[in-house]
Amino acid sequence: MINLYQQLYDTHQQLQHAKPLVLNLTNYVTQDFMANVLLALGCAPIMSESSEELAELTTIAHSLNLNIGTLDAEFTHRATDAGKLMQQQNKCVVLDPVGAGATRSRTKLAQELLPLANIVRGNASEIMALNSSSFSSYGVESSVESLSAMLSAQNIVKQTQRTIVVSGKIDLVYAPHATYQNKFGIELMTKVTGMGCCLSAVIAGFAAVCKDYALASYLATVYYTLCAEQAALDTSAPASFKVKFIDCIYQPDWAWFETRIKQSFAKEI
């Protein structure tokens, strides 16, 4: 078992030093939130809606966050081209299959982008939809618990050798060489639009400095949910939580993190 606190702290320090550039091809609903979270984390976020600059941007980017939240034909081509360019350069691609299962076009695009991704992060409904074209969900809100997607995630890993992250009350990380569970997090996270989108971006940030993508996904998820718990110490309302959360991403209380991690592992013994 890894020393979670030390590994988390060390990887965060590497990220702060490296300041990786994370390219985001994403929905316009949560772009501002996502950019601010990445900036607070220590990354250099860039958003693009231009196909003409993809070759240049993928050359300088350290990782790519693909989020299919707002779809049109141009985005589909841009996302596919960017994924291929990053794959050719052996750089990490994180896919967030927003709303997969809600419509045929979303499900089809998510399944087509899957081979270009190194990491896929979605809720249980979205991951189950990736594994079956017949599955139907309500979109961005998961209609099932994360544990229900366990078999789907494991099947995708077996077929594709990708890292799959299932977000929920218990976050699950599956990869060919490792499996992780994260039990940190709070209900208030579900009351703010874009929390899942931003988690995918944060995973892309961690994956830019940690090439073990399963570990990077796990550490990013732990960091993210601990920041959410820390923010909730000062507020119980969504709007103020969102502001506090960005502040905690920027300035985490490492002593408190260490205590929470120790408490969590103590409960499991």
Side-chain angles (χ1 to χ4, degrees):
M1 179 177 291
I2 65 172
N3 182 331
L4 178 55
Y5 172 77
Q6 195 61 52
Q7 187 76 70
L8 182 63
Y9 179 81
D10 290 346
T11 305
H12 182 265
Q13 290 301 109
Q14 292 174 30
L15 192 153
Q16 294 269 299
H17 177 74
K19 298 185 181 350
L21 191 155
V22 179
L23 173 60
N24 300 274
L25 272 61
T26 183
N27 70 78
Y28 48 75
V29 177
T30 62
Q31 278 199 42
D32 177 77
F33 188 19
M34 188 184 296
N36 277 294
V37 166
L38 282 171
L39 194 60
L41 181 64
C43 298
I46 186 166
M47 278 64 179
S48 177
E49 295 185 2
S50 170
S51 297
E52 287 76 14
E53 63 180 3
L54 281 183
E56 292 174 274
L57 289 179
T58 54
T59 299
I60 62 175
H62 295 93
S63 59
L64 168 65
N65 175 38
L66 281 180
N67 178 304
I68 68 169
T70 46
L71 285 186
D72 56 38
E74 186 177 340
F75 175 87
T76 298
H77 293 303
R78 192 164 64 247
T80 303
D81 290 344
K84 289 179 179 178
L85 286 167
M86 293 293 282
Q87 189 177 68
Q88 290 167 8
Q89 299 172 68
N90 197 30
K91 295 178 180 179
C92 184
V93 177
V94 178
L95 171 64
D96 190 331
V98 179
T103 66
R104 292 180 181 177
S105 59
R106 285 180 180 276
T107 306
K108 181 174 181 289
L109 176 59
Q111 291 173 339
E112 290 175 349
L113 291 175
L114 177 58
L116 301 177
N118 303 95
I119 303 168
V120 180
R121 188 225 61 89
N123 61 42
S125 295
E126 291 160 350
I127 298 303
M128 291 171 74
L130 278 180
N131 190 47
S132 173
S133 59
S134 63
F135 182 82
S136 178
S137 75
Y138 294 107
V140 297
E141 298 299 331
S142 180
S143 58
V144 292
E145 294 294 338
S146 57
L147 290 172
S148 300
M150 183 184 301
L151 292 178
S152 292
Q154 290 172 335
N155 190 47
I156 296 171
V157 171
K158 184 177 180 179
Q159 291 182 350
T160 67
Q161 302 300 298
R162 268 52 181 178
T163 294
I164 306 297
V165 183
V166 188
S167 295
K169 289 183 179 179
I170 299 175
D171 301 305
L172 308 173
V173 179
Y174 292 104
H177 65 284
T179 300
Y180 300 101
Q181 285 192 7
N182 171 55
K183 296 182 180 180
F184 298 115
I186 52 169
E187 178 69 19
L188 194 54
M189 296 175 73
T190 66
K191 306 302 180 184
V192 177
T193 296
M195 290 298 291
C197 298
C198 291
L199 174 56
S200 296
V202 168
I203 289 173
F206 272 75
V209 297
C210 177
K211 298 309 178 183
D212 181 337
Y213 293 144
L215 179 60
S217 299
Y218 176 54
L219 294 176
T221 303
V222 169
Y223 182 80
Y224 195 81
T225 49
L226 283 175
C227 285
E229 287 192 12
Q230 182 187 330
L233 295 175
D234 295 325
T235 181
S236 59
S240 54
F241 167 74
K242 181 178 179 180
V243 174
K244 289 284 186 181
F245 174 70
I246 296 173
D247 288 345
C248 292
I249 290 284
Y250 176 72
Q251 199 167 40
D253 185 339
W254 285 105
W256 186 82
F257 276 22
E258 186 173 21
T259 299
R260 280 290 293 123
I261 290 171
K262 287 180 178 178
Q263 288 174 344
S264 177
F265 281 105
K267 291 179 180 178
E268 296 178 2
I269 296 175

